[in-house]
Amino acid sequence: QVQLVESGGGLVQAGGSLRLSCAASGRPVSNYAMGWFRQAPGKEREFVAAIRRTAGSTYYADSVKGRFTISRDNAKNTMYLQMNALKPEDTAVYYCAATTGQISVRSYDYDYWGQGTQVTVSS
């Protein structure tokens, strides 16, 4: 099975940028469709973005469309989330996830999860 480790979170002012990374080990990440989810305190985990195995089609939540970009480098076994124009409402723990199935916006379709990385956006 694949193991996932997120990095790149931190504290940033509103309008700033962060780049999250999700490093995979144990299996080639090219075997999986992958996604980013986030969970704010007191809220349910929500979909952020997803990408197909071969970095073709991507999907975004309406709340991040035009500001966030998901990408992957299968040669480096890593997925990324470039986050620009950050807003305080983007504050959450961000999780990367992988699925052997088709690309999905539903968290329950994903089989493997990282431990999460905190993103805090100050106003």
Side-chain angles (χ1 to χ4, degrees), residues 54-100:
T54 55
S57 296
T58 56
Y59 296 90
Y60 295 94
D62 287 343
S63 59
V64 307
K65 203 171 293 182
R67 300 188 297 122
F68 290 10
T69 303
I70 188 172
S71 62
R72 63 192 298 162
D73 186 339
N74 288 345
K76 294 184 177 180
N77 239 25
T78 302
M79 179 180 65
Y80 305 97
L81 185 68
Q82 178 66 44
M83 305 187 295
N84 298 329
L86 283 161
K87 304 175 181 179
E89 52 263 44
D90 295 318
T91 296
V93 177
Y94 283 70
Y95 298 89
C96 68
T99 176
T100 55

